[in-house]
Amino acid sequence: MKTDWRDTVRVASDVAVLGLLMVAASLPVVTTGAAFATASAAVHHFLTHDRWPPWRSTALVFRRTLLPGVLATVVVAAAVALVVIDVAGVSGGRVPGGGLLLGATVAIATAGAGYAALTVVALGGRPDGGWRSAVRAALAARPATVAAAAGVVALAALLAVLVHPILAACLVGYALYALHAVVRRLAAPPDPATLRR
C-alpha cells in the first residue's frame, strides 16, 4: 500500500492526540496503568489493522485493566521513588561509592525502564490485559530489544525536558508508537534476501 504525506501527517496527529489522551487519563494517578495498557492496545490494533480500534472496545480494555493497572502503577511509582532516593544519596555524597555506584544505579534504572516499556508493549498484544504474562514476555526479550526500548524511553525523556509541557504530553504517544515499531522491527524474522548478501 502506497502512502503519501497526508497519511503521514494524519498518523502523526493521531499519535499526538493519543499521547494527550494518555496523559489526561493518567491525571487521577490510579488510572495510569489502565491508560498505558489501553493506549498500547490501540497502537497494536493500529499497526496490525491500519485503523484505530472502535471506542467501545477501547473503553472495554480500559475498564478491564483498571484494577490490575493500579497495582502496576504502585509498583512503578515505588521503583521510581527508590531510584530517585538512591541517586540523590549517592550523588550527594551521603552514600559511599561515588561515581561507580551512581553509574551502576543509572544503568540498572535504564534497564528497568526498558523492561517496563516492553511490558507496556506486550500488554498491547494481549486483549485480556494480562499484566503477569506481559511482564513474563518482557523478561524473555533479547538484550538488544531491552536496550532499544530503554533508548526510546531515554530519548523521549530527554526530549520531554527540552520541549513545552503540552508537547511533552504528545511525546508520550510518540514514544509508545516508537516502542511498538522498534519491538516489531526487532522481533521480525530476518529477510532471506539480506542474509544472502
Side-chain angles (χ1 to χ4, degrees), residues 113-143:
Y115 282 112
L118 290 177
T119 300
V120 172
V121 170
L123 276 171
R126 290 174 168 70
D128 61 347
W131 286 90
R132 277 188 248 165
S133 60
V135 169
R136 281 195 294 273
L139 292 175
R142 296 184 335 215

Side-chain angles (χ1 to χ4, degrees), residues 138-170:
L139 292 175
R142 296 184 335 215
T145 307
V146 177
V152 169
V153 171
L155 179 62
L158 174 66
L159 291 174
V161 171
L162 299 175
V163 299
H164 192 276
I166 292 295
L167 295 177
C170 296

Side-chain angles (χ1 to χ4, degrees), residues 61-185:
V61 171
F62 186 82
R63 204 169 355 127
R64 191 173 33 233
T65 58
L66 188 57
L67 285 178
V70 171
L71 179 61
T73 301
V74 169
V75 168
V76 169
V80 168
L82 287 175
V83 168
V84 167
I85 290 168
D86 192 24
V87 167
V90 172
S91 63
R94 293 181 292 275
V95 177
L100 185 63
L101 187 58
L102 182 62
T105 301
V106 169
I108 291 169
T110 303
Y115 282 112
L118 290 177
T119 300
V120 172
V121 170
L123 276 171
R126 290 174 168 70
D128 61 347
W131 286 90
R132 277 188 248 165
S133 60
V135 169
R136 281 195 294 273
L139 292 175
R142 296 184 335 215
T145 307
V146 177
V152 169
V153 171
L155 179 62
L158 174 66
L159 291 174
V161 171
L162 299 175
V163 299
H164 192 276
I166 292 295
L167 295 177
C170 296
L171 200 56
V172 175
Y174 288 121
L176 182 62
Y177 190 89
L179 285 166
H180 275 270
V182 164
V183 168
R184 281 175 181 252
R185 174 72 179 191

Side-chain angles (χ1 to χ4, degrees), residues 20-37:
L20 290 169
L21 291 173
M22 285 173 64
V23 170
S26 298
L27 287 178
V29 179
V30 294
T31 58
T32 302
F36 275 75

